[in-house]
């Protein structure tokens, strides 16, 4: 291994020296850059030996298909639990409980009871939060003289016009007891915020598989258990815990799937997962419309999690994470299990190339997001993008509610739009890459925000159409964001990085809810435009990841930066700064080539090194 590193270092040095000598005779630098691309491909291929083993296992065989399929149901239920709050706070018309009059008039109908005991408003309707004081008269006296003195409800409320059982009439959240919608959303967002940090750390420290299992247990216990809460405070606590579990599952499952798959199969798997998330969004809308009781809604949503927790035991741990922890034999067993299921055979020479990395290479902490320049750029850039998506999504959602759209119809429309929004970006991800796909979606979001800013409020139908298009764009942005961010982060800090970036989602949502609750002008939409422009600027700081290997350690990450080619318009040149900032932000357009270094006669070192042939051919 040490000789391989020395060989690559000498090979790179000679190549750079030779390119510098040829600058005068080759103004365009195309030959020099082609050699650098070959060197970069060789170095990346040798560093990512695990990718060669995964190729031998099978790019998308039975094992990988089953792994991706196992993520579908939890993703559906994640959406089910996240969007349930929209349907369990349905409006109810309350009236004071005046059953005291039944003691003197047991044969009174409900209409007669309300007519005798409730005061009326000026429009003739019964007042909802007032009642006449009880008296010790007989029924005839009450009918003859009537009741005159009112007070607030003393014995609770009744809901005679209600056809469904919601949290409102279950816990009497009326007449001054109404919870703030911002407060309920903030509880959920606080769960997302804390869950991002907790489960991101668990996934990187203890493994993807334990984090997935723990999050599934959380959704089963607190999602299913919500149906049995005895107070509204207990309901908020269970919602807080299930939000933690949902974001934990999203982070850990994305890391697990990305590290088991290779090439474009990673993007396809994440897109399918998000499509099933949209299906779950549609499912909760349909179930909430057809199920008349909120407790039954959570029973239906949580019940599938109970058997699924036991079914998840067949999932294998990420071999990349096992390698980073020095558990090479466990990684080999997991790979052989996958190959056996795919009915393929891994060449023994490939397995022999898997060696544990040193502790210095695998050592990493959350402080590396500040100390490492590349990680700092990734977290800053993608955090800004995630903040923009969150703030814009919630702002458009609140804007749509201002037009009086039915909650069921609005959620169904958004769920239906999410699926084609995500599927259509399969083409863009393959053709123009991750970076330009994200740039495209952010550009669309910026244009839509500007249209909303200048569109007259009187054109309600046009405004609703533009808002729906905005939600369509944001759905595709979410999918591209997860794929791109997971590929930018190294294995040793992938889940922690996703968790840190997810903090900005909660920040954007809280800011949107706060601004809309206090400001009714166009300022929230104007901020959407500003945030989208800033996100576009930050996106330019991170490099392309299409057709590039996943990096496992900070050491591999820094070495890959040193080999990135630099483009400067029509003229391309190399300098002593080639390994620094300019090289970090670019990636080759050509797919990596597998090349024998001895074919580069111009850049070969004078003293050959004895290397094993299988490692070069791989």
């Amino acid at each position: 291994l040490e000789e391989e590193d020395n060989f690559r270092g000498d090979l790179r040095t000679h190549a750079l020296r030779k390119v510098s000598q040829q600058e005068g005779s080759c103004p365009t630098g195309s030959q020099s850059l082609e050699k650098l691309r070959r060197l970069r491909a060789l170095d990346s291929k040798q560093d990512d030996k695990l990718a060669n083993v995964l190729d031998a296992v099978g790019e998308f065989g039975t094992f990988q298909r089953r792994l991706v399929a196992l993520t579908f149901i939890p993703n559906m239920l994640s959406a089910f639990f996240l969007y349930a709050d929209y349907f369990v706070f349905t409006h109810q018309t309350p009236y004071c409980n005046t059953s005291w009059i039944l003691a003197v008039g047991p044969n009174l109908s409900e209409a007669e009871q309300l007519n005798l005991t409730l005061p009326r408003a000026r429009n003739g309707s019964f007042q909802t939060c007032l009642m006449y004081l009880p008296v010790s008269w007989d029924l005839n006296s009450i009918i003859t003289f009537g009741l005159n003195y009112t007070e607030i409800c003393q014995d609770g409320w009744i809901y005679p016009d209600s056809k469904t059982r919601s949290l409102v009439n279950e816990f009497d959240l009326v007449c001054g007891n109404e919870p703030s919608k911002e407060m309920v959303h903030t509880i959920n967002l606080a769960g997302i915020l804390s869950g991002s940090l907790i489960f991101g750390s668990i996934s990187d420290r203890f493994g993807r598989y334990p984090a997935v299992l723990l999050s599934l247990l959380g959704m089963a216990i607190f999602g299913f258990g919500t149906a049995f809460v005895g107070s509204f405070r207990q309901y908020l606590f269970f919602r807080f815990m299930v939000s933690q579990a949902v974001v934990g599952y999203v982070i850990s499952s994305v890391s697990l799937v990305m590290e088991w798959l290779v090439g474009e199969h990673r993007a396809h798997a994440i897109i399918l997962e998000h499509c099933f998330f949209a299906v779950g969004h549609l499912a909760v809308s349909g179930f909430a419309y057809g199920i008349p009781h909120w407790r039954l809604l959570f029973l239906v949503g949580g019940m599938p999690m109970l058997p699924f927790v036991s079914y998840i035991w067949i999932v294998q741990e990420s071999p990349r994470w096992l390698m980073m922890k020095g558990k090479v034999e466990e990684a080999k067993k997991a790979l052989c299990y996958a190959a056996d299921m795919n009915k393929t055979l891994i060449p023994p020479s490939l397995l022999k190339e898997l060696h544990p990395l040193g502790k210095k290479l695998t050592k990493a902490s959350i402080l590396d997001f500040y100390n490492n320049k590349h990680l700092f750029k990734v977290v800053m850039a993608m955090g800004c993008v995630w903040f923009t998506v969150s703030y814009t999504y919630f702002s458009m959602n609140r804007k749509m509610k201002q037009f009086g759209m039915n909650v069921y119809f609005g959620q169904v429309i958004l769920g239906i739009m999410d699926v084609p929004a995500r599927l259509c970006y399969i083409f863009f991800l393959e053709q123009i890459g991750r970076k330009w796909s994200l740039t495209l979606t952010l550009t669309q979001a910026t244009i839509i925000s500007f249209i909303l800013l200048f569109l007259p409020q009187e054109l309600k139908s046009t405004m609703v159409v533009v808002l729906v298009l905005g939600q369509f764009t944001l759905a595709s942005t979410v999918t591209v964001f997860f794929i791109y961010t997971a590929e930018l982060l190294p294995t040793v800090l992938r889940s922690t990085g996703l968790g840190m970036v997810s903090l900005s989602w909660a920040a954007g949502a809280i800011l949107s809810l706060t601004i809309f609750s206090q400001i009714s002008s166009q300022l929230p939409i104007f901020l959407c435009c500003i945030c989208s422009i800033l996100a576009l600027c930050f996106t330019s700081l991170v490099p392309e990841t299409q057709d590039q290997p996943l990096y496992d350690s900070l050491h591999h990450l820094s070495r890959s930066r040193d080999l990135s080619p630099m483009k400067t318009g029509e003229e391309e040149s190399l300098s002593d700064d080639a390994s620094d900032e300019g090289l970090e932000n670019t990636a080759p357009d050509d797919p990596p080539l597998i090349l024998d270094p001895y074919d580069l006669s111009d850049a070969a070192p004078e003293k050959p090194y004895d290397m094993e042939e299988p490692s070069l051919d791989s």
Side-chain angles (χ1 to χ4, degrees):
L1 289 175
E2 185 177 354
E3 286 186 351
E4 285 187 32
D5 291 338
N6 293 336
F7 174 80
R8 283 194 295 263
D10 289 343
L11 194 60
R12 192 182 305 117
T13 302
H14 282 269
L16 293 174
R17 185 186 307 160
K18 190 69 176 178
V19 168
S20 301
Q21 295 173 356
Q22 293 178 350
E23 279 186 342
S25 59
C26 186
T28 61
S30 58
Q31 296 178 359
S32 304
L33 288 176
E34 178 62 26
K35 291 178 181 179
L36 279 182
R37 290 191 183 102
R38 294 184 179 185
L39 288 170
R40 184 176 185 273
L42 173 65
D43 191 82
S44 298
K45 195 69 175 179
Q46 290 178 341
D47 281 345
D48 194 15
K49 293 184 175 68
L50 185 59
N52 299 325
V53 182
L54 289 174
D55 288 337
V57 168
E59 289 190 0
F60 200 66
T62 304
F63 175 83
Q64 289 87 347
R65 288 195 294 267
R66 189 187 66 176
L67 174 65
V68 175
L70 287 175
T71 64
F72 291 164
I73 295 178
N75 270 285
M76 292 175 60
L77 298 180
S78 297
F80 196 101
F81 293 133
L82 281 183
Y83 290 105
D85 281 336
Y86 287 100
F87 308 102
V88 296
F89 288 96
T90 54
H91 174 71
Q92 308 286 341
T93 303
Y95 299 107
C96 293
N97 180 14
T98 57
S99 57
W100 63 268
I101 199 173
L102 297 179
V104 294
N107 296 324
L108 289 174
S109 65
E110 187 177 76
E112 292 172 335
Q113 175 187 342
L114 297 179
N115 188 51
L116 292 173
T117 58
L118 297 181
R120 291 182 179 270
R122 292 183 178 181
N123 60 3
S125 61
F126 293 114
Q127 294 190 19
T128 57
C129 297
L130 292 176
M131 60 177 285
Y132 286 117
L133 282 171
V135 295
S136 57
W137 301 349
D138 57 55
L139 182 61
N140 290 331
S141 299
I142 294 175
I143 295 175
T144 302
F145 299 105
L147 303 175
N148 296 320
Y149 298 101
T150 61
E151 64 176 0
I152 60 175
C153 302
Q154 299 293 321
D155 300 317
W157 294 264
I158 59 174
Y159 308 87
D161 300 329
S162 176
K163 297 181 180 179
T164 61
R165 191 71 169 174
S166 71
L167 287 173
V168 174
N169 52 18
E170 178 81 14
F171 300 116
D172 290 330
L173 305 177
V174 293
C175 297
N177 297 325
E178 300 93 344
S180 169
K181 291 184 177 180
E182 287 73 18
M183 183 266 290
V184 176
H185 286 306
T186 302
I187 292 293
N188 288 335
L189 293 172
I192 293 175
L193 189 149
S194 57
S196 300
L197 293 176
I198 294 172
F199 280 91
S201 178
I202 290 174
S203 180
D204 280 337
R205 185 172 182 180
F206 300 104
R208 309 337 185 181
Y209 171 72
V212 169
L213 185 60
L214 186 60
S215 59
L216 289 176
L217 283 172
M219 284 194 282
I221 294 172
F222 296 103
F224 185 76
T226 304
F228 302 98
V229 297
S231 67
F232 184 62
R233 289 185 177 180
Q234 290 181 12
Y235 173 83
L236 293 179
F237 173 74
F238 273 66
R239 297 299 295 158
F240 172 81
M241 296 302 294
V242 82
S243 296
Q244 280 191 340
V246 167
V247 72
Y249 175 78
V250 170
I251 291 173
S252 52
S253 65
V254 166
S255 298
L256 181 64
V257 170
M258 293 288 287
E259 291 166 9
W260 261 113
L261 301 181
V262 296
E264 289 302 324
H265 296 294
R266 300 182 192 130
H268 298 165
I270 301 302
I271 290 172
L272 285 176
E273 284 188 26
H274 288 185
C275 286
F276 274 85
F277 186 90
V279 172
H281 192 176
L282 285 173
V284 69
S285 304
F287 281 121
Y289 184 80
I291 296 177
H293 203 297
W294 71 273
R295 292 186 185 272
L296 185 58
L297 178 65
F298 281 101
L299 286 175
V300 171
M303 195 173 297
M305 290 302 304
L306 300 178
F308 200 79
V309 171
S310 61
Y311 188 50
I312 201 67
W313 286 103
I314 62 177
V315 173
Q316 295 291 313
E317 180 58 88
S318 163
R320 287 187 179 275
W321 181 86
L322 291 171
M323 291 289 296
M324 294 303 300
K325 293 299 179 179
K327 302 178 180 180
V328 180
E329 294 304 319
E330 294 183 29
K332 292 180 179 180
K333 289 180 181 179
L335 292 166
C336 291
Y337 175 84
D340 183 64
M341 182 167 290
N342 290 343
K343 295 181 171 53
T344 59
L345 182 65
I346 304 176
S349 59
L350 290 180
L351 289 177
K352 290 180 180 179
E353 291 182 2
L354 299 180
H355 301 286
L357 299 177
K359 290 185 178 180
K360 291 184 178 180
L361 299 184
T362 60
K363 186 178 179 180
S365 69
I366 196 171
L367 296 177
D368 288 309
F369 288 102
Y370 175 77
N371 298 326
N372 186 283
K373 185 169 65 172
H374 172 75
L375 291 181
F376 183 78
K377 285 183 180 180
V378 170
V379 172
M380 288 294 296
M382 306 315 285
C384 180
V385 172
W386 208 213
F387 177 89
T388 299
V389 173
S390 173
Y391 176 79
T392 306
Y393 173 83
F394 280 94
S395 297
M396 290 185 177
N397 201 13
R398 295 297 292 268
K399 192 75 174 177
M400 191 174 293
K401 288 182 179 179
Q402 291 180 353
F403 292 100
M405 180 175 290
N406 180 273
V407 62
Y408 296 99
F409 179 76
Q411 296 301 316
V412 167
I413 290 297
L414 294 180
I416 292 175
M417 295 291 286
D418 280 357
V419 175
R422 292 178 163 98
L423 290 177
C424 74
Y425 264 80
I426 293 178
F427 172 79
F428 292 108
L429 286 169
E430 293 178 349
Q431 298 299 319
I432 62 177
R434 279 65 162 143
K435 186 172 183 176
W436 283 106
S437 295
L438 184 61
T439 302
L440 177 61
T441 60
L442 290 174
T443 302
Q444 292 174 342
T446 305
I447 294 173
I448 290 174
S449 298
F450 273 106
I451 293 175
L452 291 173
L453 186 63
F454 296 104
L455 193 65
Q457 300 294 310
E458 294 77 15
L459 303 176
K460 293 185 177 181
S461 299
T462 306
M463 185 74 74
V464 170
V465 171
V466 175
L467 287 171
V468 171
L469 290 176
Q471 300 282 11
F472 178 93
T473 299
L474 292 175
S476 56
T477 306
V478 170
T479 299
V480 176
F481 167 85
F482 268 104
I483 297 170
Y484 194 15
T485 307
E487 291 180 345
L488 283 168
L489 295 167
T491 301
V492 69
L493 288 172
R494 180 164 291 118
S495 295
T496 303
L498 286 172
M500 289 189 62
V501 172
S502 297
L503 298 180
S504 56
W505 170 270
I510 292 173
L511 179 63
S512 175
L513 296 174
T514 303
I515 291 179
F516 259 93
S517 64
Q518 299 179 0
I519 300 175
S520 58
S521 65
Q522 288 289 79
L523 178 61
I525 301 300
F526 175 74
L527 292 179
C528 290
C529 302
I530 299 299
C531 290
S532 299
I533 294 173
L534 288 176
L536 278 170
C537 296
F538 274 99
T539 303
S540 63
L541 298 177
V542 291
E544 178 60 79
T545 61
Q546 187 180 23
D547 297 327
Q548 302 303 312
L550 292 180
Y551 300 111
D552 293 326
S553 67
L554 300 180
H555 171 71
H556 291 162
L557 189 67
S558 62
R559 289 178 59 184
S560 70
R561 299 302 108 201
D562 292 341
L563 282 174
S564 299
M566 178 173 60
K567 296 181 181 180
T568 58
E570 295 180 358
E571 295 184 0
E572 299 174 327
S573 62
L574 291 171
S575 66
D576 294 336
D577 304 340
S579 63
D580 204 13
E581 186 137 336
L583 302 186
E584 285 187 12
N585 302 332
T586 56
D589 298 328
D590 301 331
L593 301 175
I594 302 176
L595 185 68
D596 190 330
Y598 295 107
D599 290 341
L600 299 175
S601 57
D602 293 336
E606 297 177 2
K607 181 180 179 180
Y609 290 85
D610 186 17
M611 298 185 62
E612 294 181 6
E613 189 66 19
S615 64
L616 294 176
D617 293 340
S618 63

